[in-house]
Amino acid sequence: MKTKTLKRKDLNPKVAVLLGTRPGLIMFSPVIRALIKGRVDFFMIHSGQHYSYNMDEILFEELEIPKPSHYLTGVAEKKLHGAQTAVMLEGIERVLIQERPAILLVGGDTNTNLAGALAARKLHIAIGHIESGERSYDWRIPEEHNRRMIDHISEYLFVTNEKGNNQLLKENVMGRTFIVGNTIVDAAFQNIELAKKKSAILEKHGLQEKKYIVLTAHREENVDHEETLANILNALELMHQRTGLPIFFSAHPRTLNRLKIFQLTERAGRIPGLIISEALGYLDFLRLLSGARLALTDSGGVQQEACIFQVPCVTLREVTEWTETLEIGANILAGVAPEKIVAAGLEMLQRDGGWPIPFGDGAAAQRIVAVVKEELGRLAGKPASAA
Ligand code: UD1
Ligand code: UDP
């Protein structure tokens, strides 16, 4: 390469898909299926951000995603945001120069996506951002930085619904917006029946349909602070005392590490009714969540899935991107004070679902791929049908 950037004539009429984290793999699985079905020329890059078997490999197996042709290395050792992003940026840039795709697809707000979007932007490769336009308006959290930066350097902004679209228009983004729905709905619809058929997670733990609570917590602002993590444990103890319901805690590796570092593992193990497990595979998790009476979570994806499966949700945060779940009564923001979590939990246990799904109809991936095909054709100067 003679210059530092690529010209349009240097680009090949193909798409790069960037994944590398648990939510990324799940949100991209319907897109990958649609790209294959639509006979689009594409390849995948794995950023290496998530690497444990139950955060990565298991999802390829369960979702039957083909293996990426490029795997970046050296990311897992990096602990700081800057260092982690920098290693991925450099690795992705190298692959993009080698492959020269016309479009890079990124999805969500993790460091993987920021690194990919920056690499593509510098090379003049068009960026498609899936799950664009979401905001928590909390400028302290890393995901808010990432999604705002990605949205402002992307060409194609794939949004879930009108709310995200309006936000992007208000921010005067450079790219074009497309309201397509959220691919997490596609993934949930495509996999729930399989999950019910294949998973024996309830039987394994002696759980009865609608007679248990499910919990996930992994966000930096919650689990990296000893007092906050201890507060969450106190809330679980109180919650079990007040409801008698068992609580299944599917713990992200970050959270298990933090429990250990803060010497809270034993304390957690002594809480009556609490089952702590390593993170589950997607099928087991879908089965567990869809059968739960209540979900307690700080995950973005789990808030959405609880809403999709009509499971009342309490979010262990002060803010959420998914405000539509609050408006329709599917979710309450509780923060992390034990009394508030318990009060919100008791209130949500009175609710029984019945709300609409505000994240689309399960055909988001199809719409995204239609836009991608059209654009590949346009960028190559050919009619869409020839792309
Ligand atoms: C990342 C995303 C977050 C997303 C979450 C999904 C950023 C800034 N954060 O957070 O938005 O909600 O993924 O799960 O991109 N670890 C393992 N094995 C793994 C992955 C992580 O042991 O496969 C442990 C390591 O100790 C690692 C720590 O978890 O240092 C944090 O991992 P990292 O990818 O930096 O952030 P997440 O908390 O996973
Ligand atoms: N999930 C999973 N196993 C678990 C917990 C969650 O497969 O033990 C899935 C869940 O179904 C959802 C996704 O992980 O689709 C959410 O990812 P995560 O909570 O890691 O990140 P976030 O959505 O907050 O970015």
Side-chain angles (χ1 to χ4, degrees), residues 25-177:
L25 284 172
I26 293 167
M27 80 159 48
F28 264 121
S29 64
V31 178
I32 291 163
R33 285 183 192 169
L35 286 168
I36 294 171
K37 195 166 166 214
R39 295 170 188 273
V40 179
D41 190 2
F42 78 100
F43 68 95
M44 288 182 272
I45 308 170
H46 192 296
S47 71
Q49 184 172 346
H50 286 175
Y51 46 85
S52 299
Y53 173 74
N54 57 347
M55 298 294 288
D56 181 50
E57 181 78 27
I58 192 170
L59 296 163
F60 282 96
E61 294 165 9
E62 291 184 337
L63 294 164
E64 297 180 6
I65 306 172
K67 282 297 172 66
S69 46
H70 299 273
Y71 270 90
L72 305 186
T73 54
V75 183
E77 297 83 57
K78 302 293 179 193
K79 299 295 172 202
L80 296 173
H81 287 287
Q84 189 188 51
T85 308
V87 175
M88 295 190 285
L89 170 60
E90 204 175 352
I92 296 163
E93 185 177 56
R94 207 176 310 120
V95 175
L96 293 179
I97 289 171
Q98 185 188 331
E99 298 274 3
R100 303 175 177 218
I103 298 174
L104 174 75
L105 287 179
V106 300
D109 53 19
T110 60
N111 287 345
T112 289
N113 300 302
L114 176 64
L118 284 174
R121 181 75 285 129
K122 297 285 179 193
L123 291 169
H124 296 187
I125 290 170
I127 306 158
H129 185 203
I130 297 174
E131 207 176 85
S132 181
E134 299 304 328
R135 299 287 180 266
S136 66
Y137 306 101
D138 185 342
W139 200 230
R140 290 168 305 174
I141 60 176
E143 291 82 1
E144 187 75 1
H145 313 150
N146 291 347
R147 63 172 83 92
R148 282 181 185 257
M149 288 190 270
I150 301 168
D151 281 344
H152 282 267
I153 59 173
S154 295
E155 271 78 2
Y156 317 118
L157 299 151
F158 298 110
V159 298
T160 299
N161 52 32
E162 288 285 346
K163 185 193 76 176
N165 201 52
N166 292 339
Q167 179 64 30
L168 293 174
L169 297 180
K170 206 161 78 188
E171 289 180 19
N172 211 7
V173 287
M174 166 198 87
R176 273 189 288 152
T177 64

Side-chain angles (χ1 to χ4, degrees), residues 5 39 58 94 139 233 237 277 292 299 324 327 376:
T5 59
R39 295 170 188 273
I58 192 170
R94 207 176 310 120
W139 200 230
L233 295 182
E237 186 158 28
S277 155
S299 156
E324 43 291 78
E327 284 154 20
L376 276 184

